[in-house]
Amino acid sequence: MKKILCLTSILLLTNLITGCSKKEQTEFYVTFNYLDQNLSNKIYKVNKGDKVTKPPFNGHKNYIDVEWHKDSKLNNLYDFELPVYKSFELYAKFIEEEQPIEKYYNVTFKYCLEGYEDKIVKVKENEKVEKITPSDTLDYQFKGWYIESSYINLYDFNYLITEDITLYAKWDKKNNDNNNGNIQSNFNITKNVIDINLETYEDPYINVDKAEFYKNYTIATSYEDAYYRAQHGLLCGEYIEEDGSLPSINNPKDSATGLYLKNSNVTYEVDKDNNYISYNINTLNNQDYKIYYGGVYTSFNDVAAYLFAFNEIPINYLPGTNSKTKNLVQQNYGELGRVNFKLYSGPSATKYQHEPYLYGQKEKTVFYREIDFGANTGSNVYFTYGGGGRQIFRFLLGNSLDNSYSSTDTTWSTPNPTTIDKRRVYFTYNHYNDFTEYLNYYNGFGKVFGNVTAGNSEGNYNPNNPPTEYEETLLSNF
């Protein structure tokens, strides 16, 4: 019995001693394993029941963040909101930056001509589609890609693709019989809408050295450039020597009738409000160029096209003819200044009989204004012309209007101007004795008609040999 009691006492004493020596753990350690030999692992000490703080990510390679997982296979994401009651290890999973999904759009080229198959081109978003130029066929000539099947607006290949689009090829039937097959009944007018950025386009001509400007001269190739040139009285178009004489006229005629052909293609650039921006001058040799509304122009071809396209005089012209007007235009534009935009009465039964009638003038269905052209060189420079020789060069701009408009109205705004198909531009190089019609292309002028052409001396009317008459032209799609 004594032995049993003794053994029990020993066991109780042993338990008491053991229990007093065992201490409760209050701190734990969390190891952050980066799984990358180039990075040092981190060990954070955490008090019992607290949350462990996620280590800051300071960048690594091309990664943008890191996740921490409870397993080395990185399939069990750790929740940093949980309290810590033991030591453990977490494993890093690095997060790469998501690559944007590349979008592509379909650009469908519909050839609209037998023998051609339509083509679909995939284009990356916000990139341009490469222009396709199909070859002409024996009977048809390619004229461009349009955004609608009715062929109203040409597609601008500078646009960035943001959606699927369809383009339509326009073809013109070739005239395989010396123009007879290409006669048109009206004008083909195209207006391409463009954005204008005068606010973001810095004026490049402040304090310009005019001598240097003209020494290295090139024509304006944007509306913004032409606008700021005009603000400083600088030329926008051709800078060439001219003496006011006609170019050599050997222009296309209709083989059946022998009549001169007038280009029926008319191409404008306009802004979103349909205001004129530019007009394309057809050169017949793939070197077309643009003139810009509100620009400074003096050359033979530029002024003719400007009058025909915009139905107005260029900005370097003033409508009056008195000395005050001449002084003002010289002050603003120097030798580029021109004047005159007044009603041209033409011949009558008793006056100016040596002058030929222009189209519609005799019937009083078309009324004309005269514009002094001058020339660019020598004794023919505008303000010195006419000294002893009366070599006055003028354009005549005609519209199907009544004659009640103001002689100082520079825009034909009263009454409303007629459309381009009702408009005529003529040039006289010998003070109304003879004329030639502008045919809407570079150096495009028609048959000369009038008094001297009939064989008479300048300014002298011969009733037995009256001036030769205007000969109608035919429209042709150049």
Side-chain angles (χ1 to χ4, degrees):
M1 184 68 178
K2 288 183 178 179
K3 288 183 179 180
I4 294 171
L5 289 173
C6 184
L7 180 59
T8 302
S9 298
I10 293 170
L11 290 172
L12 290 172
L13 182 61
T14 302
N15 288 337
L16 180 62
I17 294 170
T18 304
C20 292
S21 63
K22 186 175 181 180
K23 188 175 182 181
E24 182 180 3
Q25 186 174 353
T26 60
E27 294 180 341
F28 300 100
Y29 295 90
V30 178
T31 301
F32 291 90
N33 188 340
Y34 284 95
L35 299 176
D36 190 318
Q37 61 182 2
N38 295 317
L39 297 175
S40 299
N41 296 338
K42 288 182 171 59
I43 299 176
Y44 282 11
K45 183 168 70 173
V46 186
N47 292 327
K48 181 180 178 180
D50 287 350
K51 304 172 188 176
V52 65
T53 301
K54 182 179 179 181
F57 178 68
N58 296 321
H60 176 52
K61 297 182 181 177
N62 294 322
Y63 301 114
I64 61 170
D65 202 359
V66 62
E67 293 178 345
W68 292 100
H69 289 254
K70 294 187 285 186
D71 63 312
S72 59
K73 292 184 179 179
L74 308 177
N75 293 321
N76 195 352
L77 189 65
Y78 179 72
D79 185 357
F80 281 90
E81 294 299 315
L82 295 175
V84 173
Y85 291 106
K86 65 177 180 178
S87 297
F88 55 88
E89 188 171 7
L90 296 176
Y91 302 91
K93 179 179 180 180
F94 290 99
I95 308 301
E96 292 183 289
E97 183 177 7
E98 290 187 15
Q99 297 299 317
I101 299 175
E102 292 185 346
K103 290 184 179 179
Y104 286 83
Y105 295 101
N106 291 332
V107 177
T108 303
F109 289 88
K110 295 188 76 67
Y111 284 86
C112 306
L113 188 67
E114 187 177 354
Y116 280 100
E117 291 186 4
D118 296 345
K119 186 174 183 179
I120 299 176
V121 178
K122 287 191 175 297
V123 182
K124 190 175 178 180
E125 186 177 35
N126 290 319
E127 291 189 357
K128 302 173 186 177
V129 63
E130 186 175 348
K131 184 177 183 180
I132 298 174
T133 304
S135 300
D136 293 349
T137 69
L138 179 63
D139 297 316
Y140 290 91
Q141 181 182 19
F142 175 69
K143 301 301 290 185
W145 293 102
Y146 285 74
I147 61 176
E148 59 273 299
S149 58
S150 55
Y151 307 122
I152 298 173
N153 295 292
L154 273 168
Y155 178 72
D156 185 346
F157 282 87
N158 289 314
Y159 286 162
L160 302 181
I161 299 298
T162 57
E163 60 182 346
D164 293 339
I165 62 171
T166 300
L167 302 179
Y168 301 86
K170 181 180 179 182
W171 302 86
D172 282 345
K173 190 171 179 60
K174 288 182 179 178
N175 174 20
N176 293 322
D177 186 22
N178 194 22
N179 296 311
N180 280 345
N182 211 23
I183 301 302
Q184 306 292 305
S185 59
N186 49 39
F187 281 85
N188 177 27
I189 301 174
T190 300
K191 292 184 177 181
N192 299 316
V193 180
I194 66 169
D195 293 326
I196 298 302
N197 299 301
L198 285 176
E199 296 81 4
T200 59
Y201 191 98
E202 186 176 351
D203 183 352
Y205 301 111
I206 298 175
N207 300 321
V208 65
D209 184 327
K210 290 191 176 182
E212 285 298 314
F213 173 80
Y214 288 110
K215 179 180 178 181
N216 303 298
Y217 184 79
T218 56
I219 66 171
T221 55
S222 73
Y223 176 79
E224 293 85 353
D225 185 27
Y227 173 84
Y228 284 113
R229 290 191 190 199
Q231 298 304 301
H232 298 281
L234 300 172
L235 190 64
C236 301
E238 290 186 309
Y239 185 52
I240 57 179
E241 292 188 359
E242 293 177 324
D243 61 7
S245 61
L246 282 174
S248 175
I249 296 179
N250 185 23
N251 293 325
K253 298 179 182 179
D254 174 51
S255 61
T257 62
L259 298 177
Y260 279 90
L261 298 175
K262 188 174 186 177
N263 179 24
S264 62
N265 271 333
V266 172
T267 302
Y268 291 100
E269 287 179 328
V270 297
D271 65 14
K272 59 183 178 59
D273 297 318
N274 203 37
N275 296 311
Y276 289 134
I277 298 299
S278 75
Y279 183 77
N280 188 71
I281 296 182
N282 189 333
T283 63
L284 304 187
N285 61 1
N286 297 318
Q287 295 183 11
D288 296 5
Y289 67 95
K290 297 172 184 175
I291 53 172
Y292 295 92
Y293 182 76
V296 175
Y297 294 99
T298 61
S299 83
F300 190 59
N301 281 282
D302 289 351
V303 175
Y306 197 100
L307 297 171
F308 182 73
F310 303 129
N311 206 34
E312 295 182 20
I313 47 179
I315 197 171
N316 52 308
Y317 281 75
L318 288 179
T321 56
N322 58 33
S323 59
K324 182 178 178 180
T325 302
K326 290 183 179 181
N327 290 336
L328 180 59
V329 79
Q330 279 185 295
Q331 178 182 332
N332 292 333
Y333 300 102
E335 66 176 16
L336 304 179
R338 304 287 189 269
V339 297
N340 199 0
F341 195 49
K342 65 182 182 181
L343 180 66
Y344 166 61
S345 58
S348 69
T350 58
K351 293 178 65 176
Y352 309 120
Q353 293 167 285
H354 67 281
E355 298 178 10
Y357 284 101
L358 305 180
Y359 174 83
Q361 198 172 38
K362 190 173 186 178
E363 299 80 9
K364 299 187 183 303
T365 57
V366 180
F367 296 87
Y368 291 85
R369 284 186 175 181
E370 60 183 32
I371 302 97
D372 287 6
F373 170 61
N376 295 331
T377 60
S379 61
N380 296 309
V381 171
Y382 175 69
F383 287 106
T384 62
Y385 74 70
R390 288 190 68 79
Q391 292 299 317
I392 299 178
F393 316 119
R394 283 184 174 144
F395 280 107
L396 286 299
L397 174 59
N399 281 264
S400 299
L401 305 170
D402 63 42
N403 62 355
S404 63
Y405 59 81
S406 167
S407 62
T408 58
D409 174 19
T410 62
T411 63
W412 293 80
S413 60
T414 308
N416 292 327
T418 53
T419 54
I420 197 168
D421 57 312
K422 301 289 197 305
R423 198 172 302 153
R424 307 283 173 145
V425 173
Y426 291 94
F427 180 70
T428 177
Y429 53 93
N430 56 7
H431 201 236
Y432 312 119
N433 277 264
D434 297 274
F435 294 85
T436 178
E437 183 183 5
Y438 175 63
L439 302 179
N440 190 30
Y441 59 91
Y442 194 87
N443 280 344
F445 287 86
K447 184 177 181 179
V448 178
F449 62 98
N451 189 45
V452 177
T453 304
N456 302 318
S457 60
E458 187 175 317
N460 293 318
Y461 173 62
N462 181 354
N464 297 317
N465 190 34
T468 58
E469 296 181 353
Y470 163 75
E471 198 172 80
E472 184 59 283
T473 57
L474 296 177
L475 290 179
S476 180
N477 194 350
F478 283 22

